[in-house]
Amino acid sequence: MAKAKRTATETPRRKGSARNPRSWVRRGVGWLAFIVMAVLVLPYLLIPLYAWNQVRPVSTLMLAETASGRSYERQWVDFDSVAPVLVQSVMMSEDGQFCTHSGIDWEALNLVIDEALDGEATRGASTIAMQTAKNLFLPRTRSVVRKALEIPMAMWMDVVWSKRRLMEIYLNIAEWAPGVYGIEAAAQAYFGVPAAKLSARQSALLAVTLPNPIKRNAANPSRGMLRLAGIIEGRARQSGAYIKCLYD
């Protein structure tokens, strides 16, 4: 009888132990889903906060530098303390339709999609708003998923922020050289002048550095960089009609 009782009491224990792993798996999946949703929603909550001029956001790359124990240079500078020719050069190099679109240059993006579907080599179609979304909230790795996440974030930024605020944040979080973030630190590092004193040629060289700040050096430009800088310098001189949203 004692043996039978022990068996009876042991049976429920085995059933309970079989259920526990499944319960933990369900809890783990639930928490993972919660974390994923929180990560996806958080940018849309932070973007209105970043509309305040007193807030100086940092990029994911800056956070990664801090997490890895590396130091970086970044000096925040207000939009009005940046040479207009630098703003003109960056706009003409990175996003010529910045003032007219709502965060996304749909014409350029559709062209890239058509080229990809045709198996052709594609060019970039990222607007300044899309690049800002990537720099603030997303990893650097290129993927269709990242691009899909950039688009609604960029549109939300364009709704919540003024064009001046968007450009101000972009110029202050962009990487201009390894460990150098923001236009003020870049101007000092490359040319030893504040961002307000950049010349037309210096501004053009900085603008063409942006697509690849790891390999391109504005203070020691290659022939290709000099050629591109000459083109951007010319476009910047003629950009008056394109930058009214920033200076009117």
Side-chain angles (χ1 to χ4, degrees):
M1 292 294 293
K3 183 176 181 181
K5 288 181 180 179
R6 282 198 300 270
T7 304
T9 55
E10 287 170 1
T11 302
R13 199 175 299 143
R14 287 199 299 268
K15 288 182 179 179
S17 62
R19 286 196 298 269
N20 284 337
R22 289 197 295 270
S23 176
W24 280 107
V25 168
R26 285 195 297 269
R27 289 182 184 179
V29 170
W31 275 108
L32 181 61
F34 174 79
I35 292 170
V36 170
M37 287 301 298
V39 169
L40 292 175
V41 170
L42 183 61
Y44 295 91
L45 301 178
L46 289 175
I47 286 169
L49 176 65
Y50 291 170
W52 296 356
N53 291 331
Q54 295 83 355
V55 178
R56 299 178 174 182
V58 296
S59 70
T60 54
L61 287 178
M62 292 184 219
L63 293 174
E65 300 268 25
T66 301
S68 62
R70 297 190 299 266
S71 61
Y72 65 86
E73 297 178 48
R74 201 279 285 269
Q75 303 171 46
W76 187 276
V77 63
D78 294 337
F79 179 82
D80 289 330
S81 297
V82 179
V85 68
L86 182 279
V87 178
Q88 293 169 315
S89 299
V90 169
M91 189 186 297
M92 292 299 100
S93 178
E94 296 291 294
D95 186 0
Q97 302 303 315
F98 176 77
C99 282
T100 59
H101 62 62
S102 299
I104 309 297
D105 187 341
W106 292 108
E107 184 177 347
L109 187 60
N110 288 333
L111 181 59
V112 168
I113 293 172
D114 290 340
E115 289 173 350
L117 292 175
D118 292 338
E120 301 176 11
T122 59
R123 57 187 178 83
S126 289
T127 62
I128 285 175
M130 292 169 71
Q131 293 178 55
T132 303
K134 175 197 69 177
N135 290 342
L136 283 177
F137 304 117
L138 300 170
R140 172 179 279 183
T141 53
R142 298 182 65 178
S143 69
V144 175
V145 173
R146 194 202 75 189
K147 190 65 65 177
L149 292 172
E150 281 178 19
I151 291 173
M153 287 183 194
M155 296 175 69
W156 181 228
M157 287 176 181
D158 196 80
V159 169
V160 176
W161 299 347
S162 67
K163 293 287 187 178
R164 282 170 63 92
R165 180 60 173 168
L166 175 54
M167 181 63 78
E168 180 181 71
I169 290 177
Y170 176 67
L171 293 176
N172 278 288
I173 65 172
E175 184 181 26
W176 301 80
V180 177
Y181 299 88
I183 186 56
E184 182 67 22
Q188 296 283 358
Y190 280 125
F191 303 115
V193 299
K197 299 295 184 181
L198 286 165
S199 69
R201 175 46 60 100
Q202 291 168 342
S203 297
L205 286 168
L206 283 166
V208 300
T209 299
L210 278 171
N212 195 343
I214 304 303
K215 293 184 178 180
R216 296 182 182 181
N217 187 323
N220 185 25
S222 64
R223 288 184 179 180
M225 281 186 65
L226 289 171
R227 179 180 60 80
L228 288 174
I231 295 171
I232 296 304
E233 193 173 349
R235 291 178 180 175
R237 283 196 299 268
Q238 303 171 16
S239 65
Y242 293 91
I243 61 170
K244 289 185 176 180
C245 66
L246 294 173
Y247 290 103
D248 273 5

